[in-house]
């Protein structure tokens, strides 16, 4: 069935002028952009968004990075959206990302990995509501 996922284009990719390239890959893969917003997160908001990772060793760096410049948040619609979007973006670590994926093309490191994609329908809903109501 048609359903939704949530994505963010992360600060390094926005800074490097890859908003258009990344949204182009997303649309070419059959996703419809239903909501779109460019926004600067405060460290507090970034910390809230990634609260599930609070105990992970990379959390402080991640919060600092995600609040270092504007991001682009979007809600995307497609059949099998969550799983198909994760296939499109590729592995979290770009060293492991397949050819043709967004992270293979644009990610710089495991942290500055160009895009976020929700990992479940439930999180897609929660993460979308974090930006859009
Ligand atoms: P994302 O899919 O947005 O979810 C958590 C983010 O933490 C991840 O992408 C990376 O930007 C960042 N991160 C940094 N280091 C790691 C790591 N070792 N494992 C997973 N995620 C990491």
């Amino acid at each position: 069935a048609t359903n939704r996922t949530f994505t963010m284009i992360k600060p390094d990719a926005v800074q490097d002028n890859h908003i258009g390239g990344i949204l182009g890959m997303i649309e070419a893969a059959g996703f419809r952009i239903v909501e779109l917003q460019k926004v600067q997160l405060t460290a507090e908001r970034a910390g809230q968004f990634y609260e599930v990772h609070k105990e992970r060793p990379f959390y402080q760096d991640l919060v600092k990075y995600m609040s270092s410049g504007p991001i682009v948040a979007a809600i995307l619609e497609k059949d099998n959206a969550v799983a198909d979007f994760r296939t499109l973006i590729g592995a979290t670590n770009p060293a492991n990302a397949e050819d043709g994926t967004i992270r293979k093309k644009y990610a710089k490191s495991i942290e500055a990995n160009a895009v976020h994609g929700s990992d479940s329908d439930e999180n897609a809903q929660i993460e979308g509501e974090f930006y859009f109501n």
Side-chain angles (χ1 to χ4, degrees), residues 8 10 49-50 53 56-59 61-62 65-66 86 89 92-93 103 109-117:
M8 293 182 291
K10 297 187 179 187
F49 184 89
Y50 280 115
H53 295 307
R56 308 283 291 275
F58 57 80
Y59 178 73
D61 269 357
L62 176 61
Y65 162 62
M66 288 301 295
R86 288 177 75 81
I89 66 181
T92 301
N93 186 344
R103 283 171 171 160
S109 67
I110 193 166
E111 176 178 79
N113 62 359
V115 284
H116 169 79

Side-chain angles (χ1 to χ4, degrees), residues 40-61:
Q40 167 91 46
L41 293 173
T42 61
E44 191 183 2
R45 286 268 295 161
Q48 279 168 17
F49 184 89
Y50 280 115
E51 195 134 33
V52 292
H53 295 307
K54 202 162 52 187
E55 306 305 328
R56 308 283 291 275
F58 57 80
Y59 178 73
Q60 292 300 332
D61 269 357

Side-chain angles (χ1 to χ4, degrees), residues 2 8 18 21 35 38 54 56 64 67-68 73-74 83 92-93 97 101-102 106:
T2 297
M8 293 182 291
H18 297 318
E35 298 281 359
K38 187 179 181 192
K54 202 162 52 187
R56 308 283 291 275
K64 201 168 162 187
S67 56
S68 67
T92 301
N93 186 344
T101 63
I102 292 174
Y106 293 113

